[in-house]
Amino acid sequence: MILQDARDYQILFLSLFLILGIGTRDWTLRPDLILVVMLTCLVTQWIAVSIWPNFKQNLFNLLPLQENRLRESDSCLANPLSRSLSLRSAMITALSLSLLLRADSYTTMVIAGSLAILSKFLFQASHKHFFNPANFGIISALILTPDAWVSPGQWGDDWLYALLFAGTGGMVLKRVGRWDTTAAFLGSYALLEAIRNIWLGWTWDVYWHRLMSGSLLLFALFMITDPRSIPNARSSRIVWATCIAVLTFILRNQFFVSTAVFWALFALAPLSILLDFIWSAPRFSWLETLPNVFSTSGENELSDANPVNIPKHEF
Amino acid sequence: MKLFRILKTLLIAFIAIVCFAPNAWGFCGFYVAKADTKLYNKASQVVIARDGSRTVLTMANDFQGDIKDFAIVVPVPVVLQQEQVHVGDPKIIERLDGFSAPRLVEYFDSNPCEVARPRLLMQASPRAAQALGDRAEESALGVTVEERFTVGEYDILILSAKESNGLETWLKLNGYRIPQGANQLLKPYIRQNMKFFVAKVNLEEFEKAGYQFLRPLMMAYESSKFMLPIRLGMINSTSEQDLIVYVLSPKGQTEVTNYRTVKVPSDAEIPVFVKNEFGDFYKSMFQTAYGREGKKATFLEYAWDMGSCDPCSAEPLTPEELKKAGVFWLNSDQSSNVFITRLHVRYTRDKFPEDLMFQETSNRESFQGRYILRHPFTGEIKCEAGQQYKRSLPARLEKEAQTLAQLTGWNIQDIRKKTNVAQTQEAFFWRNIWP
């Protein structure tokens, strides 16, 4: 099963970046904070997956109409396969937080990690979470704690890293079929920056310096492409990614927010509900990328008639 | 069972991490020398005191030519009124420099036959030279003089312009000499709606006051732009320029957001002969680190709460001095809410195309450039432990030599030669009575 799931690749690559960053980029990462955030994410995920169905059922018992539908989904969550698979997602969130978020204290990391995971359970629209968990964790830490920050300059602007991110990101995107999002985001952001560069009269090295920022590329290839929280249909993903690019551009250049990309993604995440409503398309499931379990690929909806007991509501 | 295994793994991981966590007691030792900005021929120095969007910017001035030729054009985010501009005290920048400079500390090994008792000695003197200087000029039509005033020995204009040709022409017509190609570089600032702070020396005032040097210019403004325009300073220059930025802020470290911020190598044990050439050592070491980072990183040289230092290369600044450095948020009693970050940027046109952008973080981790000399024990050794100590010395000295070679790129043979010389000199017994 190892490396069958696109998430295994993601975990592998994010771990690689973490090691590279600590080893070659002079990061002041504290190993104890990394451990804390990983524990927090995994434990929160475990607990949430275990108790959420009961909690939800109790909640919906008050609303009898919904009951039948929920029973169905609850049985899926209790499935151990789903639980262990969902820990992978928690691991990805933990790795992303370790890569991006800096803090001075354990509490901040605990807040970031637990809220990141809980956001998947709390903010759902028709059984789909719409905040990117790591991004939600980062923004909550920035808002709620006094000692969190993000270092946008941490990767520098080396071609080598750009190639590394593009290569590894490409491998994951190919598996989950979300390259369109990255292309729309980077394309429209690059276009806007190009227009600004021409208008201001800067030389083109300024432009490339801005675009080659490792943090920007990492965001474009690994964060906004999370297939579980972004819109389902291709057209809506393109619209959505373009909106994020425009907002990022405005926040960065007009309001001088150094962490513009994260705020833009956070602010526009709820837009994906609306977009899913307008362009309906089957929801993404990680298991679709498992060739051993299914022969389905691309964006085909899992067949209800499939005899294997497939968790429909994994997080 | 499985749960037990997971717990066991976690416990092992936890222990590993606790053991590898950085040592909190890492900073100690005695200060002997510092590598301040006097090392560099032409280092600009800027102090930025910033809380939220309120900023007090101080630019040191080391202009070397005829005073009447001095002129400076700096893009500023807003129009400044007379009371927002001040002339600062050059001593303050020296104080900040001295307080935050990379430092050399030394230890003397105690008699291995006795219980440890550290001793210290000696101040090595810093070198000579200077600081500052942004220079640039421009001119035009469609230029508005927003403000015109005199502060201390400076005549100040705040200009806004519609287009760069106009600004260039205006400045030329008004007697400012402008470097070729300035026009191109002014445009982006005009388009970003920035104003131009233009200063030249009022000779009458200058002579009346009887100053020897030009004093630093300070400006106070409110803007969410936390940046330093470095492009204008590179108009005619392809060579490397040094800029030291001291950022004073209430929360914690400041970092550069559009370039990497890297710590200078620190806490290295190096041969004792470096004491006499600490300046050369630091220059070579910085150049090596700069090259290793592809010449495109900014370097953190110091980050500390202003309330303390360990070891101190200079006393912490008093609240009065901090106010003179632009710190405006001090409470009446203590200065503990001031954090200083010293960034050393060596920039060139090709590696630093964009102006420096900063952000304040809540990172309160202390950092200093600190280099350690350990003098071997030279007294008589009689015990078994002492013999062991003696046997272990050559390996330690060799390691120090290699560290030095690695940090500076100096030839290892030369270092070894010098290390031996230094060693024998220290070992002669008569030096104890006839130094």
Side-chain angles (χ1 to χ4, degrees):
Chain A
M1 283 287 278
I2 295 283
L3 292 186
Q4 296 289 358
D5 191 322
R7 279 175 297 183
D8 292 335
Y9 281 90
Q10 211 158 351
I11 291 175
L12 183 73
F13 294 148
L14 292 178
S15 312
L16 173 74
F17 300 157
L18 199 57
I19 292 164
L20 268 181
I22 295 169
T24 68
R25 303 270 90 177
D26 189 63
W27 289 356
T28 48
L29 280 187
R30 283 166 50 186
D32 48 342
L33 286 180
I34 295 180
L35 188 73
V36 165
V37 79
M38 282 183 181
L39 276 179
T40 311
C41 286
L42 294 176
V43 170
T44 315
Q45 176 83 22
W46 188 270
I47 294 174
V49 169
S50 310
I51 67 159
W52 184 250
N54 297 332
F55 174 73
K56 215 171 172 187
Q57 194 175 354
N58 290 339
L59 192 74
F60 279 95
N61 277 343
L62 303 173
L63 312 163
L65 284 179
Q66 305 263 345
E67 202 174 352
N68 290 337
R69 220 178 110 207
L70 272 153
R71 282 261 159 76
E72 183 194 330
S73 71
D74 295 342
S75 63
C76 300
L77 275 169
N79 184 329
L81 172 70
S82 133
R83 227 184 260 184
S84 70
L85 282 178
S86 79
L87 286 184
R88 288 188 186 158
S89 301
M91 195 63 198
I92 292 174
T93 306
L95 283 168
S96 309
L97 285 173
S98 310
L99 275 168
L100 295 166
L101 189 66
R102 300 280 178 278
D104 254 358
S105 68
Y106 294 142
T107 7
T108 303
M109 277 307 190
V110 171
I111 289 174
S114 51
L115 290 182
I117 300 295
L118 287 177
S119 76
K120 296 194 286 187
F121 297 86
L122 296 176
F123 299 100
Q124 289 188 15
S126 46
H127 296 279
K128 178 187 170 188
H129 59 271
F130 50 88
F131 281 113
N132 177 302
N135 185 60
F136 189 88
I138 290 171
I139 297 293
S140 351
L142 289 180
I143 295 175
L144 300 175
T145 68
D147 65 332
W149 76 98
V150 171
S151 293
Q154 66 180 1
W155 285 105
D157 56 333
D158 281 338
W159 282 95
L160 199 67
Y161 286 89
L163 283 177
L164 175 74
F165 295 150
T168 50
M171 281 171 75
V172 174
L173 291 183
K174 189 172 155 257
R175 280 168 186 271
V176 299
R178 291 295 182 267
W179 60 268
D180 43 24
T181 319
T182 300
F185 173 79
L186 278 183
S188 43
Y189 187 74
L191 181 69
L192 288 168
E193 284 284 352
I195 294 169
R196 178 174 182 270
N197 213 69
I198 292 168
W199 183 70
L200 289 179
W202 281 127
T203 43
W204 286 101
D205 51 352
V206 176
Y207 175 72
W208 287 115
H209 174 77
R210 289 174 79 86
L211 281 193
M212 291 298 294
S213 156
S215 305
L216 180 76
L217 295 176
L218 200 62
F219 173 85
L221 287 156
F222 284 88
M223 188 170 260
I224 57 164
T225 54
D226 166 25
R228 295 282 298 175
S229 58
I230 68 179
N232 296 329
R234 172 161 294 172
S235 332
S236 39
R237 286 200 296 270
I238 290 172
V239 172
W240 185 76
T242 310
C243 289
I244 292 178
V246 172
L247 186 58
T248 302
F249 178 80
I250 295 172
L251 288 177
R252 183 172 173 189
N253 294 312
Q254 205 55 43
F255 297 95
F256 310 103
V257 182
S258 55
T259 48
V261 278
F262 301 108
W263 289 99
L265 176 57
F266 179 76
L268 293 177
L271 182 66
S272 64
I273 306 172
L274 181 70
L275 289 171
D276 273 344
F277 181 73
I278 300 174
W279 284 283
S280 66
R283 198 153 57 84
F284 182 85
S285 164
W286 285 110
L287 295 183
E288 285 174 72
T289 62
L290 292 179
N292 284 357
V293 182
F294 299 103
S295 54
T296 48
S297 63
E299 296 181 9
N300 297 336
E301 170 73 288
L302 301 173
S303 159
D304 281 336
N306 198 310
V308 188
N309 180 17
I310 304 140
K312 285 186 117 181
H313 298 284
E314 43 150 330
F315 294 89
Chain B
M1 201 55 213
K2 203 173 161 198
L3 187 71
F4 179 70
R5 228 180 304 145
I6 292 174
L7 284 175
K8 209 165 69 179
T9 320
L10 287 178
L11 184 71
I12 292 169
F14 179 73
I15 290 168
I17 277 160
V18 169
C19 295
F20 293 122
N23 303 321
W25 41 265
F27 293 113
C28 58
F30 305 100
Y31 163 75
V32 287
K34 61 190 171 197
D36 56 20
T37 53
K38 290 174 181 145
L39 288 174
Y40 315 107
N41 282 332
K42 198 164 188 275
S44 312
Q45 294 188 83
V46 174
V47 184
I48 305 174
R50 184 172 166 103
D51 181 13
S53 60
R54 297 177 176 178
T55 309
V56 176
L57 180 76
T58 309
M59 295 177 296
N61 200 337
D62 77 333
F63 182 69
Q64 308 253 294
D66 192 341
I67 297 288
K68 72 178 190 325
D69 292 337
F70 171 81
I72 179 172
V73 175
V74 184
V76 288
V78 290
V79 172
L80 300 169
Q81 315 284 332
Q82 175 158 10
E83 62 178 34
Q84 286 171 274
V85 180
H86 268 262
V87 177
D89 181 351
K91 288 237 165 55
I92 289 302
I93 295 176
E94 258 173 54
R95 285 280 285 124
L96 283 171
D97 183 15
F99 177 74
S100 61
R103 59 216 57 202
L104 187 62
V105 299
E106 65 180 356
Y107 296 92
F108 290 82
D109 284 358
S110 54
N111 186 342
C113 300
E114 289 172 12
V115 191
R117 177 161 42 87
R119 287 180 291 152
L120 100 124
L121 211 61
M122 212 55 200
Q123 294 255 342
S125 60
R127 267 100 281 251
Q130 60 275 7
L132 166 93
D134 243 301
R135 238 180 320 139
E137 296 117 69
E138 320 303 280
S139 111
L141 306 163
V143 172
T144 316
V145 179
E146 303 275 359
E147 295 287 335
R148 185 195 297 269
F149 48 83
T150 301
V151 174
E153 64 267 39
Y154 296 101
D155 283 335
I156 314 260
L157 294 174
I158 308 291
L159 304 178
S160 65
K162 290 212 171 67
E163 51 105 22
S164 51
N165 288 330
L167 181 58
E168 188 177 18
T169 318
W170 192 95
L171 286 169
K172 277 185 177 156
L173 286 176
N174 286 273
Y176 294 89
R177 275 184 295 157
I178 302 198
Q180 279 297 315
N183 175 357
Q184 280 293 312
L185 280 181
L186 288 171
K187 185 173 158 195
Y189 297 107
I190 296 173
R191 289 269 165 101
Q192 285 177 84
N193 212 10
M194 288 177 80
K195 313 297 170 201
F196 295 88
F197 177 96
V198 183
K200 64 179 178 184
V201 177
N202 183 318
L203 291 169
E204 245 172 65
E205 292 288 332
F206 186 72
E207 276 153 26
K208 205 162 49 181
Y211 294 119
Q212 299 282 326
F213 306 103
L214 289 171
R215 295 176 297 165
L217 269 168
M218 301 178 78
M219 50 183 99
Y221 57 85
E222 220 171 325
S223 166
S224 45
K225 271 185 199 167
F226 191 4
M227 53 90 79
L228 269 184
I230 55 171
R231 272 300 289 269
L232 279 182
M234 297 191 273
I235 291 177
N236 283 335
S237 169
T238 48
S239 61
E240 292 164 359
Q241 301 187 41
D242 282 290
L243 167 70
I244 309 281
V245 188
Y246 310 92
V247 188
L248 302 165
S249 62
K251 249 166 58 185
Q253 281 186 25
T254 297
E255 62 180 25
V256 178
T257 59
N258 55 348
Y259 298 94
R260 289 173 58 217
T261 310
V262 176
K263 288 173 180 161
V264 287
S266 179
D267 285 334
E269 289 191 11
I270 50 179
V272 289
F273 76 83
V274 172
K275 185 153 106 183
N276 300 322
E277 37 195 280
F278 183 52
D280 289 338
F281 159 75
Y282 192 77
K283 274 201 279 188
S284 305
M285 194 215 65
F286 188 85
Q287 185 65 31
T288 310
Y290 168 68
R292 194 178 297 141
E293 298 298 346
K295 304 192 171 191
K296 47 168 130 178
T298 60
F299 287 88
L300 179 71
E301 286 186 329
Y302 194 74
W304 215 278
D305 189 291
M306 258 301 191
S308 66
C309 46
D310 179 22
C312 295
S313 60
E315 279 305 298
L317 275 70
T318 61
E320 289 68 46
E321 287 178 311
L322 286 173
K323 273 184 196 160
K324 282 192 190 170
V327 177
F328 52 88
W329 61 87
L330 273 188
N331 324 326
S332 48
D333 38 343
Q334 10 78 330
S335 64
S336 64
N337 61 341
V338 183
F339 199 95
I340 181 169
T341 309
R342 174 188 170 118
L343 294 165
H344 186 163
V345 190
R346 180 165 288 175
Y347 59 91
T348 52
R349 170 66 190 83
D350 57 332
K351 301 289 185 182
F352 280 81
E354 208 186 353
D355 287 332
L356 298 174
M357 314 284 284
F358 302 91
Q359 75 172 4
E360 186 190 11
T361 71
S362 38
N363 186 1
R364 295 192 63 85
E365 188 193 8
S366 299
F367 174 79
Q368 59 183 343
R370 173 173 169 272
Y371 310 93
I372 303 152
L373 308 181
R374 278 177 67 192
H375 295 267
F377 180 72
T378 50
E380 210 176 342
I381 290 173
K382 285 184 189 141
C383 62
E384 178 54 33
Q387 296 308 323
Q388 218 171 348
Y389 167 81
K390 264 187 145 173
R391 282 195 293 274
S392 71
L393 263 186
R396 186 181 100 189
L397 297 180
E398 173 62 18
K399 193 168 168 242
E400 289 173 356
Q402 287 186 0
T403 308
L404 182 62
Q406 198 205 342
L407 285 178
T408 56
W410 289 348
N411 185 324
I412 184 81
Q413 297 304 341
D414 296 347
I415 295 174
R416 284 192 187 121
K417 232 180 277 169
K418 281 186 174 174
T419 312
N420 286 337
V421 172
Q423 273 325 109
T424 33
Q425 275 180 355
E426 300 228 345
F428 291 135
F429 68 90
W430 55 84
R431 284 179 186 267
N432 287 334
I433 45 174
W434 307 320

